[in-house]
Amino acid sequence: MSDTSKVSRPDTAPEPTTVAPADDPTAAPVTVVDPRLLVRDEGLKGYLTEFKRKVRGGELGSLPVVLGLIIIWTIFQVKNDRFLSADNLSNISYFLSATGMLAIGLVFVLLLGEIDLSVGSVSGLASTVFAVFVVNHGMNDWLALLLTVLTGVAIGALHGWFFARIGVPAFVVTLAGFLGWNGLMLWLLGSSGTINIPADSGPVHLLGQSSFFMDQAIVGAYVLAGLGVALTLVGSFGEQRRRKAAGVPFRPTSEILLRVGLLAVASFVAAAVLNNASGVSNALVIFLACLVIVDFVLRRTTYGRKVFAVGGGIEAARRAGISVPMVRITVFAISGGFAAVGGMFFAGQTASATLNAGGGNTLMLAIAAAVIGGTSLFGGRGSVWSALLGMLVIQSIQTGLDLLNMNTSIQYMITGAVLLGAVVIDSVSRRSQKAAGRA
């Protein structure tokens, strides 16, 4: 998946320009062709040259996390041959979705170069609010869900207002939220500390581990894979047509077919593996749907470009006519909304609202997922797909260490080391981009 903050992709390279020789301004103009435009004309050699140029320029994209994931899976499979079993991979795909929803919202905040420390508490409060509405007040399940998500959005907007309008640092505002909303959750739960939600409650049943896409596991998995491939194919050809009409470089049909073909292989293999277990859980489907929608918003809409612009440089964004306070408030509102949705995912896993909801290391894992997946802590660079990649790494580590009966302390240390490695790679990458003049 592409990252809109990167301006050196082969398909978006600038067109040839005409300049006069520096040593003789009176000489005939010379056409200067960006070497990136020649990539496809050189075939495989051209792509290899372009790849080397990107690595030297610090444009690593998702390569480090993909290589890291391969290494992690290989090590755990060697240590325990059940790691890559269908059942275990199905568990990984299910349990990554809850924290992954929090990570999606955090990607927006990180793109601004800010942080939101309240998402864990907001997610726990959301599950509690839903339980109070449904259990204590007998409210309709879906109306309670809507009000719960709106509660998260309102909380996030409040944080954004203090940050954007009053000038309180985001770290302080959201730290206060982390403490305050956690206290409100404890007060709502009462002395019991737990509110059990009926397992047949609509949202809870939908997000339970035993609920699968289309209620027919095998059919649903392949339908989902086919839909993803078809949408990618249509979108790629649509982009090719638009770029061709605009007279700018575009991906050739052969490259599109190759990319979609590789995606099809990966998608149907994943569907086949999950079918050997129980199929694709509804939680994973909803998580992936949110990724696709949010990715479209960030890459294809004016609002998404504003988010990247503010993250890339506040003053430049302001001079371009962008309302920086509006972007900041809405970004924190989005983060709060996704935190509330993540809280509902946690409620679906346990069919209850408890003191532990959104607590423990949930916040740290959500931040780590976004950063490990490739979203920069310095703002202006990242993709929502980093939430998926980062959670795959984190959940793989947790599940693998559980299979090896490792202590929780070991999990924390390894996850911390991976997070540090991701930040180091990000810092080195930014330094390389500055040296190459692409920062």
Side-chain angles (χ1 to χ4, degrees):
M1 300 297 170
S2 61
D3 181 347
T4 53
S5 65
K6 299 174 185 175
V7 296
S8 55
R9 293 174 293 176
D11 60 331
T12 58
E15 292 183 301
T17 56
T18 302
V19 298
D23 56 346
D24 186 6
T26 63
V30 177
T31 299
V32 179
V33 181
D34 191 308
R36 289 171 290 178
L37 295 175
L38 304 177
V39 169
R40 298 184 179 94
D41 294 336
E42 297 177 0
L44 181 60
K45 179 182 177 181
Y47 282 102
L48 182 60
T49 302
E50 174 69 3
F51 174 76
K52 292 179 180 179
R53 182 193 65 77
K54 284 187 173 183
V55 172
R56 287 195 300 268
E59 302 172 51
L60 302 177
S62 301
L63 179 62
V65 67
V66 171
L67 292 178
L69 190 60
I70 293 174
I71 293 173
I72 290 170
W73 283 11
T74 300
I75 292 175
F76 282 128
Q77 178 63 18
V78 170
K79 293 291 185 179
N80 190 317
D81 59 5
R82 289 183 297 160
F83 180 79
L84 291 181
S85 65
D87 289 333
N88 192 57
L89 292 177
S90 178
N91 287 334
I92 291 175
S93 69
Y94 173 73
F95 286 106
L96 65 79
S97 58
T99 308
M101 296 301 291
L102 275 66
I104 292 178
L106 281 169
V107 167
F108 278 84
V109 178
L110 291 175
L111 286 175
L112 296 186
E114 302 296 340
I115 194 67
D116 186 350
L117 300 178
S118 68
V119 293
S121 294
V122 173
S123 69
L125 176 62
S127 63
T128 302
V129 168
F130 177 82
V132 169
F133 283 153
V134 173
V135 177
N136 295 359
H137 298 287
M139 185 180 293
N140 175 270
D141 298 340
W142 299 105
L143 177 59
L145 173 64
L146 176 62
L147 293 177
T148 298
V149 175
L150 290 178
T151 299
V153 172
I155 289 173
L158 180 63
H159 294 162
W161 183 81
F162 275 106
F163 169 53
R165 295 296 186 184
I166 306 301
V168 182
F171 178 88
V172 177
V173 172
T174 57
L175 179 59
F178 167 78
L179 298 172
W181 305 124
N182 187 61
L184 179 58
M185 178 189 71
L186 297 179
W187 179 73
L188 290 174
L189 286 174
S191 58
S192 65
T194 300
I195 300 178
N196 293 319
I197 305 173
D200 59 352
S201 172
V204 171
H205 174 72
L206 178 69
L207 298 172
Q209 192 172 5
S210 60
S211 297
F212 300 97
F213 182 57
M214 294 181 64
D215 292 327
Q216 297 182 25
I218 295 178
V219 175
Y222 288 120
V223 167
L224 185 64
L227 181 61
V229 172
L231 290 176
T232 302
L233 185 63
V234 172
S236 298
F237 277 120
E239 182 180 13
Q240 181 196 58
R241 183 176 62 257
R242 290 191 299 270
R243 298 184 67 83
K244 187 183 296 185
V248 296
F250 55 88
R251 296 189 191 278
T253 301
S254 59
E255 182 178 341
I256 291 176
L257 294 177
L258 176 60
R259 286 170 174 264
V260 175
L262 293 175
L263 174 63
V265 171
S267 299
F268 282 98
V269 167
V273 170
L274 293 178
N275 279 341
N276 285 333
S278 301
V280 182
S281 65
N282 286 327
L284 177 61
V285 173
I286 296 173
F287 176 51
L288 293 176
C290 288
L291 286 173
V292 172
I293 294 171
V294 174
D295 179 65
F296 176 83
V297 170
L298 279 178
R299 296 196 302 118
R300 302 295 184 187
T301 66
T302 302
Y303 175 76
R305 289 190 286 272
K306 289 179 179 179
V307 172
F308 278 105
V310 173
I314 296 175
E315 187 58 33
R318 185 178 291 113
R319 290 177 181 272
I322 296 174
S323 175
V324 175
M326 182 278 294
V327 172
R328 285 174 163 175
I329 292 173
T330 54
V331 161
F332 277 90
I334 290 171
S335 179
F338 274 105
V341 175
M344 290 305 306
F345 276 60
F346 286 122
Q349 292 177 2
T350 61
S352 65
T354 68
L355 295 174
N356 296 324
N361 61 347
T362 300
L363 168 64
M364 294 298 104
L365 291 181
I367 296 175
V371 176
I372 290 172
T375 298
S376 175
L377 280 171
F378 304 98
R381 183 162 60 90
S383 167
V384 293
W385 293 97
S386 62
L388 172 61
L389 292 173
M391 278 310 304
L392 272 174
V393 171
I394 291 174
Q395 196 62 50
S396 295
I397 292 174
Q398 290 185 323
T399 304
L401 293 177
D402 285 341
L403 286 176
L404 299 178
N405 295 319
M406 291 288 187
N407 191 282
T408 303
S409 59
I410 303 298
Q411 295 183 15
Y412 288 172
M413 287 188 284
I414 293 179
T415 304
V418 173
L419 174 59
L420 177 61
V423 176
V424 169
I425 291 174
D426 181 36
S427 300
V428 173
S429 174
R430 289 180 64 87
R431 187 179 303 172
S432 300
Q433 287 183 348
K434 288 182 178 179
R438 298 189 182 92

